[in-house]
Amino acid sequence: MFFHSFYYNVKCQLRTKELVFWNLFFPIILGTLFVSTFGGNMQKEEIFFTIDVAYVAEDGGEEGFVELLNGLQEGEDQLLSVKTCGMDEAEDLLGKQEIRGIFINGKDGIRLLVKEEGITESILKTILNQYQKTQSMIGKVMRERPEKLGDVIAGLGEEISFVTEEKYTEASMDAMTGYFYALIAMNCLYGCFAGVTCAVSIKADVTSLAVRRNIASTNRFVVMAADLISSVLFQFCYTMVSVVYLKYVQKVDFGNKMPYLFIVVAVGSFIGVATGFFIGSVGKARAGTKIGLALSVTMTECFLSGLMIGNLYHVIQSVCPILNKINPAALIVDALYSLDIYSDFRRFWGNMEIMGLMSFLLIAAGYLTVRRERYASI
Amino acid sequence: MTQPVVVIENLVKRYKELVALDHLNLQINEGEIFGLLGPNGSGKTTAISCVLALLNFDKGSVKVFGKEIQPDSYDIKKNIGVVLQNVAVFRELTVYENIDYFCGLYIKDKRLRKQYVNEAVEFVGLGEYVKFYPKKLSGGLLRRLNIACGIAHKPKLIILDEPTVAVDPQSRNRILEGIEDLNAQGATVIYTSHYMEEVEQVCSRIAIIDKGRKIAEGTKEELKKMIKTDEKIHIEVVGLSETQLSQLRQLPHVYRADYAANELTVYCNGGKHNIVHILKYLQENEVSFGRVYTQLPTLNDVFLEITGKELRD
Ligand SMILES: Nc1ncnc2c1ncn2[C@@H]1O[C@H](COP(=O)(O)OP(=O)(O)OP(=O)(O)O)[C@@H](O)[C@H]1O
Ligand SMILES: [Mg+2]
C-alpha cells in the first residue's frame, strides 16, 4: 500500500505542470539571470576605487611607511588618497565619514584607527600588515642602500594591489553567492506546494479526493507518509538539478561544498514540504487559498534571507538576529555561508538541527489536526 | 435470515442549527437494491457520510455488517465501495491509472488488481478511453469513471450517491443496468437519487426521506398502496363547466378532479371501470373529449400525498 501510494504520488507530481515549472524551470531561469547580471559585472567592471585616509605623524615616526603611502597614491589604479594632518582634524574627518581610516605613526610603531568593519577597512589593515611584515627589511634597505628604497616600496605596493584585488573579488563573489544561496533556499522551500497538496488530499472537508481516500481500507497515515516522503524526495531532486545546473552549466563556484549542499538541500526540502503540510492541515480554507498562503510565507522568508536584496540577511543579522534563527530560508543561507567562514561545522550542524526540529514540529502539528477521525461537516 | 448489512438507528446529525438527519432509522438487508429517495437537501448524502464514518453525529448508531463502524474499521471498509456524488478523481492520472490507484487502496495482490481494474473498465464501458485524462472526458464518461473507481474492488456493499446526475439517458440506462448486474453478482446496493423513475426501475425496496426524516418505506407496490390514489385519468376536454366538474366529483371512487388548460384529471381510489363511468358521463352531457389515458400512481404521488409538495419542482 505504501509503495502503491508512493508510486502514484510520484506520477502525479511529475505530471503537475505547475510543480514542474516552479520547482525546476523557474529556479534555473532565475539562476541564469543572476549569473548574467553579476557574472558579467564581475569580469568587466574595474573594482578599484580610491580609499580616503588620514596620516598623522607623531614624533619618532617611521620614514618607510610614508614612502609606502606615497607609492600607493600614484599611478593609474591609485589605491589611497592620503591627507596628512593632525590628530584632531583626522578624528573629525573620520567622524564625518570623509575618510575611512587614520594611520598613526607614533613612537611604538604604526597604528590604524577605523570606525567600521568592512571590506575597505580590511584593505587598510592589509596595507599595514604587509608593511609590518617587511618593516625590518625596509629599515635595513634605508640604512644600507637608500637608493634602492624606491624599488622595494614599489614591490610592496604591487603586492598590496594584488592582495587588495583578491579581497575585492572575494567580496563581490560573496555578494553574488549570497544570491545563489538564497535561490537554493527558495528552491527547497518551494516544497511547500507539494506539502499543501499532501495535507489537503487527506482532509475530507477540503477535497473530495480526500473523502475517497478516507473511506478506503488503507490506513490514512500510510497514505500520508507515502505522499510526504515522495514529496520531499522530489523537492530534493528538483533542487539538486538546479544546483548542478548552476555549478556545471553556469560555472557558479560553490567551492568544495558539494557534499554539504546535499545535506542542506535534503533538510531544506524537508522543511519546505513540512511548512506546506502545516499550512494545508490547519483550517478549512480551499486548497487554492492555502497554496497562495504557502507561497506568500515562502516568498517572505526568501525575501528576508536576501533573495531580492542581497545584504538584507546581514542587516537582519545586526538588527534582529533571532529572525534569522527561525527563518528557514535564512538558516539555509547561513548554513552555506558558515561553510565559507568557519573551519568547523558547529554552526552548520546547528542550523541543520534547528531546521530538522522545526520540520518535525510542523509535521507533528499538521498531523495532529488532520488525524482527526470524523468531520463535523464535509 | 442473514444479518442486515446496514442498520441505522435513531441517527441525528446537526450542522450547527440545521437538523440534517432527524432520528433516522433504516435497515438494509443483504442482496437488496435499497433506494434512498428524497428531494435536494433532504439528507441523503449526510446519511451516507455517517454510514461511512466520515461525519460525527449527535445521536444514534450506525452498524455495518453487524459492527459499529469507526474511521479505522478497515476490515469493514474493505467490503464497501462508494460512488460519491462529487466526481473525485486525479486530474494527473489517466482513466486506467485512476481506477488502479483506488482499487490499490483495497486490493494488494497485483495480478488480481489488474484483473479487477480491467473488469471495471469493461463494466463502465470505458475501454476506448483508458489512456485518456479526466479533463478530456465528457461529463457522462467522467461519471462512469467515478463509478469504476468506487466499485473496482468488488465490494459486498455498494453505495451510490446520485450517480446519474447530469448523465444522458443512454449512459443512465447503462449505469442502471450495471447496478442490477452488480446486484445479481451478489452485492448489496444502496442507491440515492431524487429521480423517482430510476429508483422505481431498479430498487427492490425504497425509503423516502424528507428534511432528514423517513416518511415512508417499503417496496414500490407497498408505497403506492399507502396512498389513496389508485389511478389517475387524464382526458382532453373542451368547455367543461363548473357544475359538470362538481358532478364528476360525485361519481363513485372519484375523490378529486381538476380541470385546467383543457385537461381534466380525475383521481380515483379503488373501484373498477372508473374510466367507463367518466366517459359515459361526458357523453351523456354532450361534452366532447379527445385523447384519454390513465396513469398508475408514481412515487411522486406518494411523496405529494405525504408531504403535500412535489418531489421535484
Ligand atoms: N457541510 C455542511 N454544512 C452545513 N450544512 C450542510 C452541510 N452539508 C449539508 N448541509 C445541509 O444539510 C442538509 C442535508 O444535505 P445533504 O447534502 O445530505 O442533502 P442531499 O439529500 O444529499 O441533497 P442533494 O440531493 O442535493 O445531494 C441540507 O439542508 C444541506 O443544506
Ligand atoms: Mg447529496
Side-chain angles (χ1 to χ4, degrees), chain A residues 377-378, chain B residues 15 18 20 39-46 85 162:
Chain A
S377 80
I378 290 179
Chain B
Y15 293 113
L18 187 132
N40 289 136
S42 53
K44 304 182 293 292
T45 303
T46 304
Q85 185 167 9
E162 311 212 22

Side-chain angles (χ1 to χ4, degrees), chain A residues 284 376-378, chain B residues 13-16 18-21 38-49 55 85 161-162 165 192-194 209 211-212:
Chain A
K284 264 192 81 164
S377 80
I378 290 179
Chain B
K13 167 70 190 167
R14 287 195 199 90
Y15 293 113
K16 302 218 173 78
L18 187 132
V19 181
L21 295 177
N40 289 136
S42 53
K44 304 182 293 292
T45 303
T46 304
I48 302 267
S49 304
L55 282 175
Q85 185 167 9
D161 195 0
E162 311 212 22
V165 173
T192 88
S193 181
H194 59 266
I209 65 170
K211 297 189 180 134

Side-chain angles (χ1 to χ4, degrees), chain A residues 8 11 15 214 218 375-376, chain B residues 13 54 77 97 100 105:
Chain A
Y8 272 110
K11 260 195 176 175
R15 292 182 191 163
N214 270 289
T218 300
Y375 296 85
Chain B
K13 167 70 190 167
L54 276 170
K77 285 180 167 186
E97 290 165 342
D100 187 49
L105 294 179

Side-chain angles (χ1 to χ4, degrees), chain B residues 3 10 27 65 98 129 134 137 141 158 166 179 241 262 271 286:
Chain B
Q3 65 174 359
N10 272 322
Q27 176 172 328
F65 297 116
N98 262 300
Y129 302 98
L137 297 180
L141 295 177
I158 300 176
I179 290 166
S241 72
N262 287 340
E286 296 183 337

